[in-house]
PDB file of all heavy atoms in Angstrom:
ATOM      1  N   TRP A  79      -0.121  -7.927  32.465  1.00  0.00           N
ATOM      2  CA  TRP A  79      -0.886  -7.971  31.209  1.00  0.00           C
ATOM      3  C   TRP A  79      -1.049  -6.606  30.553  1.00  0.00           C
ATOM      4  O   TRP A  79      -1.291  -6.517  29.358  1.00  0.00           O
ATOM      5  CB  TRP A  79      -2.249  -8.657  31.419  1.00  0.00           C
ATOM      6  CG  TRP A  79      -3.363  -7.804  31.960  1.00  0.00           C
ATOM      7  CD1 TRP A  79      -3.635  -7.565  33.275  1.00  0.00           C
ATOM      8  CD2 TRP A  79      -4.353  -7.096  31.211  1.00  0.00           C
ATOM      9  NE1 TRP A  79      -4.732  -6.749  33.377  1.00  0.00           N
ATOM     10  CE2 TRP A  79      -5.204  -6.455  32.143  1.00  0.00           C
ATOM     11  CE3 TRP A  79      -4.622  -6.943  29.849  1.00  0.00           C
ATOM     12  CZ2 TRP A  79      -6.297  -5.669  31.750  1.00  0.00           C
ATOM     13  CZ3 TRP A  79      -5.714  -6.159  29.460  1.00  0.00           C
ATOM     14  CH2 TRP A  79      -6.525  -5.525  30.407  1.00  0.00           C
ATOM     15  N   ASP A 183     -11.651 -12.290  26.972  1.00  0.00           N
ATOM     16  CA  ASP A 183     -10.571 -11.331  26.686  1.00  0.00           C
ATOM     17  C   ASP A 183      -9.545 -11.910  25.717  1.00  0.00           C
ATOM     18  O   ASP A 183      -8.873 -11.191  24.972  1.00  0.00           O
ATOM     19  CB  ASP A 183      -9.831 -10.942  27.986  1.00  0.00           C
ATOM     20  CG  ASP A 183     -10.708 -10.808  29.203  1.00  0.00           C
ATOM     21  OD1 ASP A 183     -11.761 -11.468  29.271  1.00  0.00           O
ATOM     22  OD2 ASP A 183     -10.339 -10.063  30.123  1.00  0.00           O
ATOM     23  N   GLN A 245     -14.619 -11.422  36.931  1.00  0.00           N
ATOM     24  CA  GLN A 245     -14.602  -9.974  37.145  1.00  0.00           C
ATOM     25  C   GLN A 245     -15.985  -9.330  37.037  1.00  0.00           C
ATOM     26  O   GLN A 245     -16.136  -8.137  37.261  1.00  0.00           O
ATOM     27  CB  GLN A 245     -13.627  -9.318  36.154  1.00  0.00           C
ATOM     28  CG  GLN A 245     -12.181  -9.492  36.578  1.00  0.00           C
ATOM     29  CD  GLN A 245     -11.184  -9.218  35.469  1.00  0.00           C
ATOM     30  OE1 GLN A 245     -10.639 -10.149  34.874  1.00  0.00           O
ATOM     31  NE2 GLN A 245     -10.949  -7.957  35.170  1.00  0.00           N
ATOM     32  N   TRP A 253     -20.710  -8.881  32.026  1.00  0.00           N
ATOM     33  CA  TRP A 253     -19.625  -7.993  32.421  1.00  0.00           C
ATOM     34  C   TRP A 253     -19.282  -7.117  31.207  1.00  0.00           C
ATOM     35  O   TRP A 253     -19.052  -7.636  30.100  1.00  0.00           O
ATOM     36  CB  TRP A 253     -18.426  -8.847  32.839  1.00  0.00           C
ATOM     37  CG  TRP A 253     -17.176  -8.105  33.166  1.00  0.00           C
ATOM     38  CD1 TRP A 253     -17.041  -7.058  34.032  1.00  0.00           C
ATOM     39  CD2 TRP A 253     -15.861  -8.376  32.651  1.00  0.00           C
ATOM     40  NE1 TRP A 253     -15.730  -6.658  34.085  1.00  0.00           N
ATOM     41  CE2 TRP A 253     -14.989  -7.437  33.245  1.00  0.00           C
ATOM     42  CE3 TRP A 253     -15.344  -9.309  31.743  1.00  0.00           C
ATOM     43  CZ2 TRP A 253     -13.617  -7.426  32.960  1.00  0.00           C
ATOM     44  CZ3 TRP A 253     -13.993  -9.291  31.463  1.00  0.00           C
ATOM     45  CH2 TRP A 253     -13.133  -8.354  32.067  1.00  0.00           C
ATOM     46  N   ARG A 255     -16.776  -5.194  30.125  1.00  0.00           N
ATOM     47  CA  ARG A 255     -15.554  -5.273  29.308  1.00  0.00           C
ATOM     48  C   ARG A 255     -15.494  -6.599  28.525  1.00  0.00           C
ATOM     49  O   ARG A 255     -14.923  -6.646  27.440  1.00  0.00           O
ATOM     50  CB  ARG A 255     -14.300  -5.045  30.135  1.00  0.00           C
ATOM     51  CG  ARG A 255     -13.144  -4.590  29.258  1.00  0.00           C
ATOM     52  CD  ARG A 255     -11.994  -3.899  29.970  1.00  0.00           C
ATOM     53  NE  ARG A 255     -11.540  -4.592  31.131  1.00  0.00           N
ATOM     54  CZ  ARG A 255     -11.797  -4.205  32.387  1.00  0.00           C
ATOM     55  NH1 ARG A 255     -12.499  -3.120  32.610  1.00  0.00           N
ATOM     56  NH2 ARG A 255     -11.341  -4.904  33.406  1.00  0.00           N
ATOM     57  N   TRP A 259     -14.568  -6.797  24.689  1.00  0.00           N
ATOM     58  CA  TRP A 259     -13.484  -7.615  24.096  1.00  0.00           C
ATOM     59  C   TRP A 259     -14.027  -8.491  22.973  1.00  0.00           C
ATOM     60  O   TRP A 259     -13.392  -8.660  21.930  1.00  0.00           O
ATOM     61  CB  TRP A 259     -12.828  -8.501  25.150  1.00  0.00           C
ATOM     62  CG  TRP A 259     -12.034  -7.850  26.247  1.00  0.00           C
ATOM     63  CD1 TRP A 259     -12.015  -8.239  27.566  1.00  0.00           C
ATOM     64  CD2 TRP A 259     -11.073  -6.767  26.158  1.00  0.00           C
ATOM     65  NE1 TRP A 259     -11.139  -7.462  28.283  1.00  0.00           N
ATOM     66  CE2 TRP A 259     -10.549  -6.547  27.454  1.00  0.00           C
ATOM     67  CE3 TRP A 259     -10.633  -5.947  25.105  1.00  0.00           C
ATOM     68  CZ2 TRP A 259      -9.602  -5.555  27.737  1.00  0.00           C
ATOM     69  CZ3 TRP A 259      -9.690  -4.950  25.392  1.00  0.00           C
ATOM     70  CH2 TRP A 259      -9.191  -4.766  26.679  1.00  0.00           C
ATOM     71  N   GLY A 374     -11.447  -1.856  36.965  1.00  0.00           N
ATOM     72  CA  GLY A 374     -10.622  -3.013  36.637  1.00  0.00           C
ATOM     73  C   GLY A 374     -11.285  -4.307  37.093  1.00  0.00           C
ATOM     74  O   GLY A 374     -11.671  -5.135  36.282  1.00  0.00           O
ATOM     75  N   TYR A 388      -5.272   0.775  29.645  1.00  0.00           N
ATOM     76  CA  TYR A 388      -5.906   0.228  28.431  1.00  0.00           C
ATOM     77  C   TYR A 388      -7.095   1.069  27.990  1.00  0.00           C
ATOM     78  O   TYR A 388      -7.384   1.149  26.801  1.00  0.00           O
ATOM     79  CB  TYR A 388      -6.267  -1.255  28.588  1.00  0.00           C
ATOM     80  CG  TYR A 388      -6.929  -1.667  29.883  1.00  0.00           C
ATOM     81  CD1 TYR A 388      -8.300  -1.818  29.979  1.00  0.00           C
ATOM     82  CD2 TYR A 388      -6.159  -1.938  31.006  1.00  0.00           C
ATOM     83  CE1 TYR A 388      -8.899  -2.231  31.161  1.00  0.00           C
ATOM     84  CE2 TYR A 388      -6.747  -2.345  32.195  1.00  0.00           C
ATOM     85  CZ  TYR A 388      -8.115  -2.486  32.274  1.00  0.00           C
ATOM     86  OH  TYR A 388      -8.700  -2.896  33.447  1.00  0.00           O
TER      87      TYR A 388
HETATM   88  N1  LIG B 527      -8.045  -8.747  30.535  1.00  0.00           N
HETATM   89  C1  LIG B 527      -8.381  -8.351  31.842  1.00  0.00           C
HETATM   90  C2  LIG B 527      -9.419  -7.303  31.919  1.00  0.00           C
HETATM   91  O1  LIG B 527     -10.039  -6.937  30.965  1.00  0.00           O
HETATM   92  O2  LIG B 527      -9.614  -6.818  33.006  1.00  0.00           O
END
Side-chain angles (χ1 to χ4, degrees):
W79 83 273
D183 323 28
Q245 282 164 257
W253 175 52
R255 202 161 48 255
W259 293 141
Y388 44 99

